[in-house]
Amino acid sequence: MRALILSTGVGPAEGLVVLNATAAGHEVDVLDVAAHSWLRRTRRNLPRLFPWTGTWALRESGSQIARSMRAIIATGDYDMVVTSGLGAGAFASRHVEEEFVPLLWRGDLDFSAARKHAAEDTARLTTAVDRLFLEDEWEFDKALSKGSRSAHLRHLIPAVPATALAPLESAPVPPHVVALHPERKDDERLENQLAALGSAIAEVPGSSLRPLSASALYRRRDMERNRGFDAVTRARLDGATHVVLVGSSRDHAAVGDLLLATGFRGRLLVEDTIGTGAWAESRGGVRSGRGLRLVAELSAMLEAPEAQESASETRGVPVRHEDLLAAYRAAMAGRVDRDFEDLEALRHAGPLDVFFSTSPLEDRTDGARPQRVRNMADALDDGGAAVRMSSVPGVFDRRVRAVRAAITAGRPLGLFYGENSTSPIPVPRVTEELADVMREFSRAGGQTVWFVRDLHWLDDIEGYLEDADARRDTQARGLLELETLAAAADRLAAPSIESGRGFDALLARHGRAGHDWVPLPPAVAPANTVPPGLRAPGDEGLTLLYAGGVSGIYGLGQYLDAAARLDEAIRLDFVVRPGERDALDALLEDHGLADRPGVRVTTVPFEWYVPGTADVVGVVLLGGEYARFSFPYKTMSLVERGYPILCFADMAIAAFLEENRLGLGVDRDADAIRAGLERLAELGAPGVGEAQRSQTWGARLNAARAASVR
């Protein structure tokens, strides 16, 4: 078979496709439609140059380009055309008359509304084709949020030819670790990742750790010179004994697949981002972790690589296609409903679960909402994948149709779990239809729970929604949302019993009745847990760590007043979002802490935070009425890290911390805080191991299922 691949560049993603295709005996040409040049030509009579110039031409639908493409395809006598990436797919939708296989890679749909050309390309492509091939369900979500009108199918997994199966290296001592990162990277984040990973090999003489872009394992010049992806990767890894994939990119999957085929399963470690974590799961449970958990996993891998070889095969073996192009050709055959999505939840016949979140999944760890949403969605998927939906109309509408079709077909039903966000659902008709489908789910035998994370917009918090009209509008829409979904759900849930009481007090101020709340506190994600013994030792001394928001809702004033009166030998660390750095600096200035020795402010993601001392106490010392009944998410983030926690005794979490031997509640004064710190520095958190095992998102899910049984 002869195939033409259209691209707007080249990297490992294209390299692996060509490697598989040529091993299967196909002739493959690769044309870069952005640079107007051939990257690979198997026949010399193919045109060398295009009759158009300028990137504007790629967006025009003039007949000249279409005629040129007709001539190229006729001269090449191609049996199939494949497009690689959004730019190439949009080009083909404008200028190629033949059917083509549209492959979109991770990152193709990661653009903002301000990028009008990308939005136009997406609209053009998804209008022209009846199916898109995407990497996973997270990419399905993105396609729907961008207005996709096509069916969504998963990428097919290519087999790596036998010629590439020789192991790259054995794993002698000392280890030589390569950290493969995205081409476009956050330099500060990568610097912290390398520093943390380096601690795993620091005591081994002769060991090394070096960063390398995953995309650098196969470049444009390599394809132009007809080099194989496998040979180039082997050369550029240059004696690596272990590989860590950090971040996420269009090329991570291809690089990971090649490494798995070349004997690296027991020596490959993956950062558990949403995208790369999904890849690791789909490939048979490749070892992964987030933040410092990745360091712990690397240490364990270096100590016993053989044990991991067998342990990593626990999640099944994916289907790999020896002839990828033939498999894609078969996948293009026949008609497909444009509403169809190859959802894992529709592949199994067990009870159907549904997960709704106001905001879609985001690969962010700089806030409670994106972490809670992802972790609860992961918990639902662990028991047999759920249908995931959000308030984004494109996502919501198609997934509601899928859920209703399953109900109509008599599918056994499990749990419909939904949760609010920091502001009401922005589209009123989504709220109304969400309530309707939840009722339908219950009537058909399912269980429904609506989780209310917070109602802080009902409180009078300094600095939050100071515009009176905006406040009234948010409160009216929020109250209507709560009433609508409370009436539809079997049960309402809150972060704790105390949170429910606080919610009822806020509702009473607005003339609303209270509710019977089920407690569903945030939980521990195993991918984040760091056993205390595996933390970097650090210097002698004590660090008081605050990680979280800085706005008025958090009420940091009382903590900062107390901190200013503590012994200056105690270090004060603050981990905050980049956008709140200036606000924190102003608060530190106001409380006389700006020039205090031992104060450190960092915007590195919390999972990559490395303390400067061996002893660390996490603080959740928040002021204000709302803080007294909330359950701050960072409480469980600190448990994941193994740190003892100090809070005020009148906060809702105090009883939880003390009952589980995770920390202490103290009075709201500097002397009590100082005494609490000394006690925690001595006692630590003896219950943290048990909490990491038992206070999981899976346990939270089980509690939601039990609570919703009527």
Side-chain angles (χ1 to χ4, degrees):
M1 179 163 61
R2 284 187 53 75
L4 173 64
I5 297 178
L6 303 179
S7 74
T8 52
V10 71
E14 290 79 14
L16 184 56
V17 172
V18 172
L19 179 65
N20 176 280
T22 53
H26 303 307
E27 293 182 358
V28 181
D29 295 334
V30 182
L31 181 61
D32 186 334
V33 298
H36 318 144
S37 62
W38 290 102
L39 300 179
R40 177 186 173 91
R41 291 192 304 160
T42 56
R43 293 187 181 180
R44 296 298 96 186
N45 63 330
L46 292 170
R48 282 184 174 273
L49 300 174
F50 288 83
W52 66 86
T53 58
T55 55
W56 65 270
L58 297 180
R59 313 193 57 78
E60 296 299 319
S61 56
S63 59
Q64 184 182 32
I65 300 176
R67 283 198 303 272
S68 296
M69 290 307 301
R70 280 198 299 271
I72 288 169
I73 292 173
T75 304
D77 193 24
Y78 297 112
D79 300 293
M80 67 183 301
V81 177
V82 178
T83 63
S84 179
L86 177 59
F91 174 90
S93 69
R94 292 181 173 95
H95 309 304
V96 174
E97 296 173 354
E98 286 75 13
E99 179 182 75
F100 59 92
V101 181
L103 305 181
L104 295 186
W105 306 105
R106 198 172 309 286
D108 278 333
L109 299 174
D110 295 343
F111 58 84
S112 67
R115 289 180 55 192
K116 294 183 179 179
H117 287 338
E120 290 171 3
D121 282 351
T122 303
R124 185 65 181 249
L125 175 60
T126 190
T127 301
V129 300
D130 63 359
R131 68 203 83 190
L132 293 172
F133 292 91
L134 301 151
E135 295 207 33
D136 53 41
E137 293 187 24
W138 190 37
E139 299 298 318
F140 292 3
D141 294 353
K142 296 176 190 176
L144 290 176
S145 71
K146 305 298 184 186
S148 173
R149 304 174 189 175
S150 304
H152 298 151
L153 307 179
R154 297 170 187 266
H155 278 193
L156 304 179
I157 303 175
V160 176
T163 54
L165 292 181
L168 285 165
E169 286 290 340
S170 60
V173 177
H176 298 287
V177 182
V178 174
L180 295 174
H181 58 78
E183 186 91 332
R184 295 181 179 178
K185 62 188 187 302
D186 180 327
D187 289 334
E188 182 183 11
R189 181 186 181 95
L190 180 60
E191 181 181 349
N192 280 273
Q193 289 172 326
L194 294 174
L197 291 169
S199 67
I201 62 172
E203 302 302 318
V204 183
S207 62
S208 66
L209 170 68
R210 64 185 174 98
L212 181 66
S213 166
S215 301
L217 295 182
Y218 199 68
R219 296 290 196 187
R220 176 191 181 92
R221 63 180 180 273
D222 299 314
M223 184 168 285
E224 289 175 329
R225 295 171 186 175
N226 203 29
R227 296 168 177 164
F229 172 44
D230 53 337
V232 174
T233 296
R234 188 185 309 278
R236 290 185 183 148
L237 285 178
D238 189 24
T241 60
H242 299 79
V243 173
V244 183
L245 273 172
V246 296
S248 189
S249 78
R250 71 187 304 276
D251 294 314
H252 273 47
V255 170
D257 280 329
L258 181 67
L259 291 172
L260 290 182
T262 53
F264 256 58
R265 175 173 289 278
R267 292 174 285 129
L268 173 64
L269 184 58
V270 171
E271 184 181 8
D272 188 24
T273 63
I274 294 178
T276 311
W279 174 87
E281 286 289 318
S282 69
R283 269 42 172 198
V286 175
R287 186 173 232 159
S288 64
R290 303 175 201 161
L292 294 195
R293 176 57 181 259
L294 212 59
V295 180
E297 293 288 347
L298 180 57
S299 296
M301 181 182 291
L302 294 174
E303 292 173 5
E306 296 81 7
Q308 175 58 21
E309 285 285 356
S310 57
S312 63
E313 293 285 0
T314 57
R315 295 185 181 268
V317 178
V319 176
R320 299 182 184 277
H321 296 276
E322 299 290 341
D323 190 338
L324 184 67
L325 294 185
Y328 272 121
R329 194 175 191 182
M332 292 294 293
R335 297 184 61 184
V336 64
D337 186 337
R338 280 182 175 265
D339 268 357
F340 174 74
E341 294 187 288
D342 186 13
L343 301 175
E344 188 66 34
L346 304 182
R347 290 184 172 190
H348 68 82
L352 181 70
D353 291 331
V354 180
F355 174 80
F356 174 91
S357 60
T358 301
S359 301
L361 265 65
E362 294 179 89
D363 219 346
R364 291 173 47 206
T365 56
D366 61 346
R369 177 188 52 76
Q371 294 180 83
R372 187 188 67 254
V373 169
R374 180 194 174 179
N375 288 326
M376 192 61 181
D378 285 349
L380 274 163
D381 282 347
D382 283 344
V387 172
R388 185 172 63 240
M389 61 176 69
S390 70
S391 65
V392 176
V395 180
F396 180 79
D397 293 340
R398 192 180 296 196
R399 301 287 167 75
V400 162
R401 289 194 289 270
V403 171
R404 283 181 164 145
I407 294 173
T408 300
R411 172 82 177 265
L413 302 179
L415 177 68
F416 194 124
Y417 170 92
E419 58 177 60
N420 81 336
S421 188
T422 52
S423 58
I425 294 172
V427 182
R429 65 106 176 154
V430 169
T431 304
E432 296 167 5
E433 193 164 356
L434 175 61
D436 289 342
V437 75
M438 289 176 71
R439 291 189 186 94
E440 294 168 27
F441 198 88
S442 290
R443 287 197 296 267
Q447 304 160 237
T448 58
V449 171
W450 182 253
F451 173 74
V452 179
R453 178 215 176 187
D454 62 41
L455 297 176
H456 68 263
W457 35 268
L458 288 179
D459 202 357
D460 295 323
I461 300 170
E462 183 179 352
Y464 179 76
L465 287 180
E466 294 180 338
D467 180 90
D469 290 338
R471 179 185 291 275
R472 281 192 295 271
D473 176 67
T474 297
Q475 290 177 346
R477 290 189 296 113
L479 288 168
L480 178 60
E481 173 187 299
L482 179 62
E483 291 168 354
T484 301
L485 295 171
D490 295 333
R491 296 300 301 271
L492 274 183
S496 66
I497 293 295
E498 293 82 1
S499 296
R501 291 171 183 158
F503 292 167
D504 285 346
L506 289 176
L507 290 168
R509 295 182 196 171
H510 294 265
R512 303 303 201 276
H515 297 279
D516 178 18
W517 300 94
V518 172
L520 289 179
V524 166
N528 290 337
T529 56
V530 181
L534 291 174
R535 295 202 305 271
D539 300 332
E540 292 185 3
L542 175 65
T543 295
L544 202 55
L545 167 66
Y546 176 79
V550 177
S551 67
I553 187 174
Y554 298 99
L556 285 181
Q558 286 182 308
Y559 166 55
L560 296 178
D561 281 340
R565 295 193 289 273
L566 294 175
D567 189 328
E568 289 191 354
I570 297 174
R571 303 187 192 186
L572 303 177
D573 277 2
F574 298 86
V575 181
V576 298
R577 302 181 187 97
E580 293 186 315
R581 174 68 187 261
D582 290 345
L584 177 61
D585 288 342
L587 281 173
L588 294 175
E589 183 73 35
D590 290 344
H591 292 271
L593 291 168
D595 298 319
R596 184 187 192 274
V599 172
R600 181 174 62 153
V601 179
T602 179
T603 58
V604 67
F606 179 67
E607 70 267 29
W608 289 106
Y609 160 79
V610 178
T613 61
D615 292 326
V616 179
V617 171
V619 298
V620 189
L621 298 167
L622 306 181
E625 180 184 353
Y626 188 79
R628 296 176 195 270
F629 61 76
S630 67
F631 196 117
Y633 186 93
K634 274 298 185 287
T635 305
M636 303 313 289
S637 298
L638 294 167
V639 172
E640 291 171 344
R641 292 293 294 264
Y643 300 145
I645 302 168
L646 193 69
C647 73
F648 289 130
D650 58 0
M651 292 179 65
I653 60 171
F656 170 82
L657 294 177
E658 294 182 352
E659 289 170 7
N660 289 280
R661 300 180 302 152
L662 299 170
L664 297 173
V666 297
D667 291 338
R668 292 176 178 265
D669 65 68
D671 289 339
I673 290 175
R674 184 183 303 109
L677 283 175
E678 292 173 353
R679 186 176 174 193
L680 285 180
E682 178 183 354
L683 298 178
V688 73
E690 175 58 29
Q692 288 181 347
R693 289 188 294 272
S694 63
Q695 302 286 339
T696 64
W697 290 93
R700 183 182 192 267
L701 173 59
N702 291 337
R705 292 189 192 279
S708 61
V709 174
R710 295 184 299 276

